[in-house]
Amino acid sequence: MVGLGPGGEETLTPQARDAISGADVVIGYSTYIKLAKPYLTNQTVLSSGMKKETDRARVAVEEALAGKRVAVISSGDPGVYGMASPILEIAPPELEVDVIPGVTAATATAAVLGAPLTHDFAVISLSDLLTPWETILRRLDAAAAADFVIVLYNPRSHGRDQHLEVARNVVLKHRAKETPLGLVKDCCRAGEAKQVTTLGDMNIEDVDMTTTVIIGNSQTKVLNGRMITPRGYVI
C-alpha cells in the first residue's frame, strides 16, 4: 500500500515513488491513478471508481499471490482512511505486505495554515458512507468538549451539503464563535487556496470535498495571518 501524499510531486516520498515505479501492477481509484501518472512506465494499471475498495483489495491480493509486485495507491496515507485496512484484513499470512506512509491531509493543511496542530488534535471524517451519522456526531461532540483541535475530512459534497453546518453547531456548543478556523482547498495541488477565518464566520459555500477544515481549540490564535496552537513552551 502506497501513500501518494496530497498529490503534489514534491510531497511524494522517495520510498513511495520507488514502490510505484518498481511495481508490476498498480491498482487504485481512478483519480489517484491520474496523480500517479508521472511515475508510471510499463506497469499494468487497474483502476476503478468509488465504492470499489473491497474489489480493489481482492484483485490486489490475487495479483500478488500470482507472483506479481503490486502497488495499491491511496491519496495521503494508506493507513488514514485508506486501503491499508481492507488489504491487511484479507491478505493471507504468507503474503508479504508493506505499508508505505504518505503525507496526510491533516498535516499538509496544517503546514499551509501555520502551526494549528502543535498540540493534541482529532481527525474526523464527515462522510457517513461507512460510518453512521450519529456516531460521527457523538465523536465530534466528544472531541469538541475535550478541547481538541479538530480536523475535518470530507466536509461537504453535493449529497451532504448540510453536514458541515450541523457539525459547526455541535462544536459551537463548546467553543466561541471567534475560535480560529482554517480552510485549505486542493492542498499541495494546482489551484491551492487557503483561508483563515473563525468558526462563526466560516462560509459553508467555500467548502467542498477537496477542502480540509481545521478548527482551533481554546488556545489557538492567529498571528500574522497564521493559525498557531501553542504547545506550552516558555517563550
Side-chain angles (χ1 to χ4, degrees):
M1 284 81 72
V2 182
L4 294 176
E9 184 176 354
E10 67 279 0
T11 55
L12 183 73
T13 68
Q15 185 185 20
R17 185 182 291 109
D18 291 345
I20 295 170
S21 62
D24 302 311
V25 180
V26 176
I27 299 174
Y29 172 45
S30 52
T31 298
Y32 304 154
I33 291 293
K34 292 178 183 177
L35 294 176
K37 190 174 181 179
Y39 321 110
L40 300 176
T41 52
N42 59 350
Q43 301 97 326
T44 298
V45 176
L46 304 175
S47 65
S48 55
M50 291 183 66
K51 302 182 182 180
K52 297 293 184 180
E53 290 81 5
T54 302
D55 291 342
R56 288 198 291 272
R58 290 196 182 101
V59 170
V61 170
E62 290 171 1
E63 293 286 334
L65 290 174
K68 298 176 184 177
R69 184 176 177 85
V70 180
V72 181
I73 59 176
S74 291
S75 67
D77 186 293
V80 181
Y81 303 112
M83 287 293 294
S85 61
I87 291 178
L88 290 173
E89 285 180 298
I90 66 173
E94 67 272 17
L95 185 63
E96 182 180 351
V97 181
D98 294 321
V99 180
I100 298 175
V103 178
T104 189
T107 52
T109 297
V112 173
L113 293 172
L117 305 185
T118 315
H119 216 303
D120 299 333
F121 64 93
V123 179
I124 298 175
S125 170
L126 295 189
S127 172
D128 56 359
L129 290 175
L130 300 174
T131 305
W133 181 234
E134 294 75 15
T135 300
I136 294 171
L137 291 180
R138 187 171 69 250
R139 291 171 178 171
L140 186 61
D141 185 74
D147 203 30
F148 282 101
V149 174
I150 299 172
V151 184
L152 298 179
Y153 281 19
N154 307 312
R156 185 169 180 264
S157 69
H158 293 298
R160 296 183 290 102
D161 60 349
Q162 299 300 315
H163 283 25
L164 183 57
E165 183 63 44
V166 174
R168 168 164 60 183
N169 290 335
V170 170
V171 177
L172 280 170
K173 293 192 301 181
H174 306 281
R175 291 193 198 169
K177 292 182 178 180
E178 296 76 23
T179 301
L181 179 147
L183 309 171
V184 179
K185 178 179 171 61
D186 294 324
C187 186
C188 300
R189 301 181 190 178
E192 174 188 279
K194 73 172 182 177
Q195 180 184 159
V196 176
T197 180
T198 66
L199 184 60
D201 289 339
M202 174 181 58
N203 184 352
I204 301 295
E205 297 300 321
D206 291 337
V207 181
D208 61 16
M209 280 290 283
T210 69
T211 305
T212 303
V213 180
I214 297 184
I215 304 170
N217 68 9
S218 62
Q219 302 301 309
T220 304
K221 57 188 176 181
V222 178
L223 183 62
N224 299 322
R226 296 191 173 194
M227 290 178 67
I228 301 171
T229 303
R231 179 70 180 90
Y233 302 117
V234 178
I235 297 177

PDB file of all heavy atoms in Angstrom, residues 25 31 38 52 78 121 125 128 133 165 181 200 233:
ATOM      1  N   VAL A  25       2.202  -4.231 -11.165  1.00  0.00           N
ATOM      2  CA  VAL A  25       0.793  -3.853 -11.268  1.00  0.00           C
ATOM      3  C   VAL A  25       0.531  -2.690 -10.316  1.00  0.00           C
ATOM      4  O   VAL A  25       0.960  -2.723  -9.157  1.00  0.00           O
ATOM      5  CB  VAL A  25      -0.137  -5.032 -10.903  1.00  0.00           C
ATOM      6  CG1 VAL A  25      -1.610  -4.617 -11.027  1.00  0.00           C
ATOM      7  CG2 VAL A  25       0.157  -6.246 -11.775  1.00  0.00           C
ATOM      8  N   THR A  31      -9.055   8.543  -9.822  1.00  0.00           N
ATOM      9  CA  THR A  31      -8.480   9.875  -9.569  1.00  0.00           C
ATOM     10  C   THR A  31      -7.040   9.765  -9.087  1.00  0.00           C
ATOM     11  O   THR A  31      -6.176  10.555  -9.474  1.00  0.00           O
ATOM     12  CB  THR A  31      -9.327  10.635  -8.534  1.00  0.00           C
ATOM     13  OG1 THR A  31     -10.650  10.822  -9.063  1.00  0.00           O
ATOM     14  CG2 THR A  31      -8.717  12.001  -8.232  1.00  0.00           C
ATOM     15  N   PRO A  38       2.747  10.421 -13.561  1.00  0.00           N
ATOM     16  CA  PRO A  38       4.150  10.734 -13.868  1.00  0.00           C
ATOM     17  C   PRO A  38       5.130   9.628 -13.503  1.00  0.00           C
ATOM     18  O   PRO A  38       6.255   9.613 -14.012  1.00  0.00           O
ATOM     19  CB  PRO A  38       4.420  11.992 -13.023  1.00  0.00           C
ATOM     20  CG  PRO A  38       3.081  12.599 -12.809  1.00  0.00           C
ATOM     21  CD  PRO A  38       2.149  11.454 -12.687  1.00  0.00           C
ATOM     22  N   LYS A  52     -15.518   0.893  -4.639  1.00  0.00           N
ATOM     23  CA  LYS A  52     -14.972  -0.360  -5.157  1.00  0.00           C
ATOM     24  C   LYS A  52     -13.728  -0.780  -4.372  1.00  0.00           C
ATOM     25  O   LYS A  52     -12.904  -1.541  -4.859  1.00  0.00           O
ATOM     26  CB  LYS A  52     -14.614  -0.211  -6.637  1.00  0.00           C
ATOM     27  CG  LYS A  52     -15.801   0.089  -7.549  1.00  0.00           C
ATOM     28  CD  LYS A  52     -16.758  -1.083  -7.631  1.00  0.00           C
ATOM     29  CE  LYS A  52     -17.872  -0.820  -8.617  1.00  0.00           C
ATOM     30  NZ  LYS A  52     -18.816  -1.958  -8.695  1.00  0.00           N
ATOM     31  N   PRO A  78      -2.005   5.635   3.320  1.00  0.00           N
ATOM     32  CA  PRO A  78      -2.917   4.500   3.133  1.00  0.00           C
ATOM     33  C   PRO A  78      -3.522   3.983   4.426  1.00  0.00           C
ATOM     34  O   PRO A  78      -4.525   3.268   4.412  1.00  0.00           O
ATOM     35  CB  PRO A  78      -2.031   3.435   2.476  1.00  0.00           C
ATOM     36  CG  PRO A  78      -0.645   3.803   2.865  1.00  0.00           C
ATOM     37  CD  PRO A  78      -0.624   5.298   2.932  1.00  0.00           C
ATOM     38  N   PHE A 121      -4.854  16.797  18.848  1.00  0.00           N
ATOM     39  CA  PHE A 121      -5.889  17.044  17.849  1.00  0.00           C
ATOM     40  C   PHE A 121      -6.603  15.751  17.481  1.00  0.00           C
ATOM     41  O   PHE A 121      -6.104  14.648  17.707  1.00  0.00           O
ATOM     42  CB  PHE A 121      -5.303  17.696  16.588  1.00  0.00           C
ATOM     43  CG  PHE A 121      -4.329  16.861  15.824  1.00  0.00           C
ATOM     44  CD1 PHE A 121      -4.743  16.066  14.770  1.00  0.00           C
ATOM     45  CD2 PHE A 121      -2.971  16.881  16.143  1.00  0.00           C
ATOM     46  CE1 PHE A 121      -3.832  15.291  14.045  1.00  0.00           C
ATOM     47  CE2 PHE A 121      -2.060  16.118  15.427  1.00  0.00           C
ATOM     48  CZ  PHE A 121      -2.488  15.324  14.374  1.00  0.00           C
ATOM     49  N   SER A 125     -13.835  12.349   9.871  1.00  0.00           N
ATOM     50  CA  SER A 125     -14.430  12.445   8.541  1.00  0.00           C
ATOM     51  C   SER A 125     -15.933  12.662   8.681  1.00  0.00           C
ATOM     52  O   SER A 125     -16.597  11.974   9.466  1.00  0.00           O
ATOM     53  CB  SER A 125     -14.164  11.170   7.741  1.00  0.00           C
ATOM     54  OG  SER A 125     -14.925  11.173   6.546  1.00  0.00           O
ATOM     55  N   ASP A 128     -20.610   9.924   5.833  1.00  0.00           N
ATOM     56  CA  ASP A 128     -21.357   8.875   6.519  1.00  0.00           C
ATOM     57  C   ASP A 128     -21.648   7.686   5.606  1.00  0.00           C
ATOM     58  O   ASP A 128     -22.579   6.919   5.850  1.00  0.00           O
ATOM     59  CB  ASP A 128     -22.655   9.417   7.110  1.00  0.00           C
ATOM     60  CG  ASP A 128     -23.543  10.093   6.071  1.00  0.00           C
ATOM     61  OD1 ASP A 128     -23.141  10.153   4.889  1.00  0.00           O
ATOM     62  OD2 ASP A 128     -24.634  10.562   6.448  1.00  0.00           O
ATOM     63  N   TRP A 133     -24.073   8.482  10.815  1.00  0.00           N
ATOM     64  CA  TRP A 133     -24.002   9.910  11.113  1.00  0.00           C
ATOM     65  C   TRP A 133     -24.092  10.169  12.618  1.00  0.00           C
ATOM     66  O   TRP A 133     -23.421  11.058  13.147  1.00  0.00           O
ATOM     67  CB  TRP A 133     -25.115  10.642  10.370  1.00  0.00           C
ATOM     68  CG  TRP A 133     -25.162  12.121  10.548  1.00  0.00           C
ATOM     69  CD1 TRP A 133     -26.226  12.861  10.961  1.00  0.00           C
ATOM     70  CD2 TRP A 133     -24.109  13.072  10.315  1.00  0.00           C
ATOM     71  NE1 TRP A 133     -25.909  14.203  11.001  1.00  0.00           N
ATOM     72  CE2 TRP A 133     -24.607  14.360  10.601  1.00  0.00           C
ATOM     73  CE3 TRP A 133     -22.786  12.936   9.886  1.00  0.00           C
ATOM     74  CZ2 TRP A 133     -23.846  15.507  10.487  1.00  0.00           C
ATOM     75  CZ3 TRP A 133     -22.008  14.091   9.765  1.00  0.00           C
ATOM     76  CH2 TRP A 133     -22.533  15.357  10.060  1.00  0.00           C
ATOM     77  N   GLU A 165     -22.633  22.275   8.337  1.00  0.00           N
ATOM     78  CA  GLU A 165     -23.367  23.221   9.177  1.00  0.00           C
ATOM     79  C   GLU A 165     -23.789  22.559  10.487  1.00  0.00           C
ATOM     80  O   GLU A 165     -23.681  23.158  11.567  1.00  0.00           O
ATOM     81  CB  GLU A 165     -24.589  23.753   8.432  1.00  0.00           C
ATOM     82  CG  GLU A 165     -25.376  24.793   9.212  1.00  0.00           C
ATOM     83  CD  GLU A 165     -24.559  26.047   9.495  1.00  0.00           C
ATOM     84  OE1 GLU A 165     -23.859  26.545   8.576  1.00  0.00           O
ATOM     85  OE2 GLU A 165     -24.602  26.536  10.650  1.00  0.00           O
ATOM     86  N   LEU A 181     -10.390  29.289  12.624  1.00  0.00           N
ATOM     87  CA  LEU A 181     -10.692  28.152  11.751  1.00  0.00           C
ATOM     88  C   LEU A 181      -9.983  28.369  10.425  1.00  0.00           C
ATOM     89  O   LEU A 181      -9.953  29.486   9.909  1.00  0.00           O
ATOM     90  CB  LEU A 181     -12.204  28.029  11.551  1.00  0.00           C
ATOM     91  CG  LEU A 181     -12.720  26.913  10.639  1.00  0.00           C
ATOM     92  CD1 LEU A 181     -14.071  26.404  11.143  1.00  0.00           C
ATOM     93  CD2 LEU A 181     -12.878  27.395   9.186  1.00  0.00           C
ATOM     94  N   GLY A 200     -17.450  30.971  13.665  1.00  0.00           N
ATOM     95  CA  GLY A 200     -18.721  31.619  13.402  1.00  0.00           C
ATOM     96  C   GLY A 200     -18.841  32.206  12.014  1.00  0.00           C
ATOM     97  O   GLY A 200     -19.936  32.254  11.443  1.00  0.00           O
ATOM     98  N   TYR A 233       5.463  25.676  25.432  1.00  0.00           N
ATOM     99  CA  TYR A 233       6.850  26.034  25.744  1.00  0.00           C
ATOM    100  C   TYR A 233       6.916  27.461  26.259  1.00  0.00           C
ATOM    101  O   TYR A 233       6.149  28.330  25.818  1.00  0.00           O
ATOM    102  CB  TYR A 233       7.735  25.910  24.510  1.00  0.00           C
ATOM    103  CG  TYR A 233       7.761  24.538  23.879  1.00  0.00           C
ATOM    104  CD1 TYR A 233       7.298  24.329  22.586  1.00  0.00           C
ATOM    105  CD2 TYR A 233       8.253  23.448  24.587  1.00  0.00           C
ATOM    106  CE1 TYR A 233       7.332  23.071  22.003  1.00  0.00           C
ATOM    107  CE2 TYR A 233       8.291  22.180  24.025  1.00  0.00           C
ATOM    108  CZ  TYR A 233       7.816  22.005  22.727  1.00  0.00           C
ATOM    109  OH  TYR A 233       7.845  20.762  22.158  1.00  0.00           O
TER     110      TYR A 233
END
